[in-house]
Amino acid sequence: MASLSSLLLASAFFLAGSVFFYRYDASGNKSGGTATTTHLHFYMHDDYTGPRPTAKRVVSGRSSDGDNDTTTLKTAPRQFGDIVVLNNALTDGPSGGSARVGTAQGWAVRVSEGGIVSDLTLHLVLEAGEHRGSSLTARGRIDMDATVRESVLIGGTGRFRYARGYMLTKNYDYSLATGGIVEIDVYVQHE
């Protein structure tokens, strides 16, 4: 009788394991649905100045050269320890009059004492087109001295549930003092 119980228990575990591996393949995709790779391309308008800035330093860090004068802290373009919040327009072209496709919302923390390097968390909220109502979240180390910067996509909502992929950013027309335009390419795998 004990061997029959063991056989039934082993069969139950085998059946449960089979169901699990049928639903999820080795890469984490749900079986039965095919993973789609989508390429999104847009421009982010990052404005530190003007009557309605869309990026703002909310915490001023310390100057790495030892000059911690209050005026210097408020006027220096970037410093170690700065925290910047973003609520930037995403458009389909680089000009300000291009069609708006969404909003880039998030924050960046300046994490390097030498160079302009930030830890970025960015939510790309899509407001137009076939992906309207969906969003993607990117995390990454952003080194402003690099020509192209790569971040990882850590998830998404709406049509991008179970998303994974990467985001490439590069300066299109950008100044550290005033902001500007950043070109963004997103490559996302989703169901």
Side-chain angles (χ1 to χ4, degrees):
M1 188 68 157
S3 64
L4 181 58
S5 298
S6 297
L7 182 60
L8 287 173
L9 184 60
S11 297
F13 281 122
F14 179 76
L15 181 60
S18 297
V19 168
F20 177 80
F21 285 113
Y22 173 75
R23 291 204 46 178
Y24 296 93
D25 66 16
S27 66
N29 288 332
K30 285 185 181 179
S31 295
T34 58
T36 301
T37 300
T38 299
H39 173 222
L40 301 171
H41 179 258
F42 30 73
Y43 295 85
M44 180 176 75
H45 299 263
D46 194 27
D47 184 13
Y48 284 92
T49 60
R52 297 187 64 195
T54 62
K56 182 162 180 58
R57 179 171 36 187
V58 294
V59 173
S60 292
R62 295 280 184 218
S63 172
S64 60
D65 65 4
D67 182 6
N68 292 317
D69 175 287
T70 303
T71 304
T72 302
L73 290 174
K74 290 181 180 174
T75 59
R78 301 288 189 279
Q79 301 169 113
F80 175 66
D82 282 357
I83 299 175
V84 175
V85 294
L86 310 166
N87 188 38
N88 298 329
L90 295 173
T91 61
D92 66 1
S95 76
S98 297
R100 186 177 174 118
V101 296
T103 304
Q105 297 172 324
W107 67 91
V109 179
R110 310 291 178 225
V111 294
S112 177
E113 291 185 57
I116 308 301
V117 180
S118 298
D119 178 16
L120 174 72
T121 298
L122 193 63
H123 305 281
L124 305 170
V125 182
L126 303 176
E127 302 165 352
E130 66 181 297
H131 305 296
R132 180 185 178 128
S134 300
S135 69
L136 292 163
T137 300
R139 287 288 324 260
R141 179 183 184 271
I142 302 297
D143 183 347
M144 291 303 288
D145 290 332
T147 304
V148 177
R149 301 165 296 268
E150 184 171 348
S151 301
V152 64
L153 295 177
I154 60 172
T157 66
R159 295 187 72 170
F160 295 123
R161 288 185 188 123
Y162 301 108
R164 65 180 186 273
Y166 62 98
M167 176 178 78
L168 302 175
T169 59
K170 60 184 172 183
N171 294 344
Y172 180 82
D173 182 15
Y174 197 83
S175 159
L176 285 174
T178 61
I181 302 165
V182 176
E183 187 172 3
I184 299 176
D185 282 287
V186 175
Y187 298 89
V188 58
Q189 285 189 341
H190 56 96
E191 300 267 333

